[in-house]
Amino acid sequence: MAALTPAFLFSVLRHEWRRLSRFLVIGISSLGLVIGLYKLISLVLWKNGPPTVQYTFVVIIVTWLNYEANRWFTFEVRERSAGNAGRFATIAIIATGLNGTLFWLGHEVLRIPDTLVIILNTALIAFFTFTSHRFITFHERPWRFFER
């Protein structure tokens, strides 16, 4: 495995730029969708609902849309397969758990405004999901980084 030098990281970024930029377009669109749906649910449809439950529900819906968009647009995988769908679901469940926990911690415990927590969560979860989907979900040999 190569050392994590600035030159190595720059070469990886240059090589992954197209995928990363597409992922960012989907991510920014998803952020807008999450904020919009969350506000619709929390302010109109279910005003007295628990914010963490409302947010987690929205994240689950947008996660499914993300799978379709990233499979087709970002990683250019045209066929659905049980393998990549299962790996995506596993990573999505982990990300959703992290997302809900961070939202609860930021909004309920630390009393940070919900929209700011959503934006911060999106940045953290985006890093986790891009690397996971790139090297596990949509990779030809998904677990090769764990082989010796």
Side-chain angles (χ1 to χ4, degrees), residues 13-147:
L13 180 61
R14 188 178 60 220
H15 177 73
E16 293 294 325
W17 180 246
R18 184 168 165 241
R19 257 188 214 114
L20 184 58
S21 61
R22 288 177 172 207
F23 187 81
L24 289 173
V25 166
I26 299 223
I28 291 168
S29 300
S30 295
L31 174 61
L33 189 58
V34 166
I35 291 172
L37 285 174
Y38 175 75
K39 293 300 182 182
L40 176 68
I41 289 172
S42 66
L43 299 176
V44 177
L45 300 177
W46 191 16
K47 290 181 183 179
N48 298 323
T52 302
V53 173
Q54 294 168 332
Y55 178 67
T56 302
F57 177 71
V58 168
V59 167
I60 290 169
I61 292 169
V62 174
T63 297
W64 173 72
L65 296 172
N66 268 328
Y67 168 70
E68 294 298 333
N70 280 310
R71 179 184 59 80
W72 185 83
F73 183 65
T74 305
F75 298 102
E76 300 179 49
V77 175
R78 299 295 183 235
E79 312 82 35
R80 284 188 186 100
S81 76
N84 69 32
R87 290 187 298 269
F88 186 93
T90 301
I91 290 166
I93 288 167
I94 294 167
T96 301
L98 269 167
N99 214 335
T101 302
L102 292 172
F103 181 84
W104 170 80
L105 180 65
H107 182 62
E108 302 292 328
V109 176
L110 300 176
R111 300 287 183 216
I112 298 171
D114 53 7
T115 304
L116 181 58
V117 174
I118 291 170
I119 292 168
L120 294 171
N121 270 2
T122 299
L124 292 170
I125 299 303
F127 176 77
F128 169 75
T129 56
F130 178 79
T131 55
S132 299
H133 294 322
R134 172 64 183 100
F135 297 115
I136 298 171
T137 304
F138 298 110
H139 197 277
E140 310 82 46
R141 290 181 48 218
W143 304 106
R144 77 179 177 100
F145 290 102
F146 301 105
E147 296 172 357

